[in-house]
Amino acid sequence: SQQGEEDPQALSIQEGENATMNCSYKTSINNLQWYRQNSGRGLVHLILIRSNEREKHSGRLRVTLDTSKKSSSLLITASRAADTASYFCATAFSGYSTLTFGKGTMLLVSP
Amino acid sequence: GAGVSQSPSNKVTEKGKDVELRCDPISGHTALYWYRQRLGQGLEFLIYFQGNSAPDKSGLPSDRFSAERTGESVSTLTIQRTQQEDSAVYLCASSLTGGFSNQPQHFGDGTRLSIL
């Protein structure tokens, strides 16, 4: 399967701690995107990182991409209870016109 | 509204009935996508529209599933002779352009379909 795989499947932390989620994939990509999904809602786009980029920041979010290892990580710093959600990586594989979503990491941030 | 709108938000129906799900994308977005999400799972791609045509419908699980898009706007996903395995949340997304640009997608809140 070309599907990106997130790791861990679930993560439970305390407010103020950092949360790191990883995504691995198997073939070359144009870009990789991270999305958040709150319970009962649709997905919200967080960050897009292109294959020629190594790191991007957006507020408390930091995404890295290592194309040699075919992996990406999403770091959420100083987490808040409102960060509780599922986080998905979506890969834009070269030659494909659609995104492929992983199964997600469920993050629980306790007050 | 400014976002992707889906209706109905919830649909409960009996096995064997037909259902029609509607998606209103963000105005001006040429690309539209349908996904299925089973409980606690990731997104399963169903079909992609570029304008009113569907260059990729490879994810439709069976011939009971069909979709159309008119006026480069509204799309409907139809499931005929529903089965219990069709129970899931059906999500619609749109992006400004489609194809290999793989731009960020904007999602609606989905239709939660339950087949009794």
Side-chain angles (χ1 to χ4, degrees):
Chain A
S1 167
Q2 292 180 317
Q3 187 178 44
E5 298 286 340
E6 289 97 339
D7 168 59
Q9 291 186 340
L11 181 61
S12 183
I13 60 174
Q14 299 288 320
E15 262 191 332
E17 295 180 337
N18 295 342
T20 299
M21 288 158 269
N22 303 296
C23 173
S24 60
Y25 57 92
K26 295 182 179 178
T27 60
S28 63
I29 60 171
N30 290 328
N31 67 60
L32 185 145
Q33 303 176 28
W34 285 91
Y35 289 78
R36 183 188 74 229
Q37 184 179 35
N38 290 86
S39 182
R41 304 298 300 272
L43 280 71
V44 174
H45 179 261
L46 297 176
I47 288 186
L48 181 154
I49 186 164
R50 302 190 189 284
S51 59
N52 61 352
E53 297 175 312
R54 292 296 167 259
E55 188 171 310
K56 283 190 87 168
H57 296 81
S58 176
R60 294 183 296 111
L61 306 180
R62 172 177 167 247
V63 168
T64 60
L65 179 65
D66 186 335
T67 53
S68 66
K69 295 181 179 178
K70 293 186 171 57
S71 67
S72 173
S73 66
L74 170 67
L75 169 67
I76 304 174
T77 60
S79 63
R80 305 166 182 169
D83 295 328
T84 294
S86 291
Y87 291 81
F88 295 88
C89 73
T91 41
F93 291 109
S94 301
Y96 283 80
S97 55
T98 55
L99 296 177
T100 303
F101 288 82
K103 294 183 179 180
T105 292
M106 191 177 303
L107 174 66
L108 174 62
V109 182
S110 301
Chain B
V4 176
S5 177
Q6 292 188 246
S7 61
S9 54
N10 286 282
K11 177 72 175 179
V12 181
T13 193
E14 293 180 346
K15 176 181 171 182
K17 300 285 189 183
D18 297 352
V19 296
E20 191 171 279
L21 313 179
R22 177 188 170 107
C23 173
D24 280 274
I26 292 173
S27 179
H29 279 196
T30 64
L32 186 147
Y33 310 83
W34 283 98
Y35 298 90
R36 179 168 69 180
Q37 185 176 31
R38 292 201 166 102
L39 188 63
Q41 299 297 311
L43 272 66
E44 178 185 1
F45 167 77
L46 297 178
I47 188 168
Y48 151 57
F49 285 94
Q50 181 60 48
N52 292 336
S53 63
D56 188 348
K57 53 179 92 170
S58 62
L60 295 178
S62 74
D63 59 7
R64 296 187 296 106
F65 287 72
S66 63
E68 65 174 16
R69 187 180 185 195
T70 56
E72 295 196 354
S73 180
V74 173
S75 176
T76 54
L77 176 69
T78 301
I79 309 173
Q80 295 178 309
R81 306 180 302 281
T82 52
Q83 303 293 314
Q84 288 186 329
E85 69 212 38
D86 300 333
S87 295
V89 175
Y90 289 83
L91 291 164
C92 175
S94 69
S95 62
L96 187 59
T97 61
F100 302 111
S101 62
N102 301 121
Q103 290 200 345
Q105 296 181 13
H106 301 261
F107 282 80
D109 284 338
T111 293
R112 185 175 300 276
L113 177 64
S114 299
I115 309 299
L116 302 178

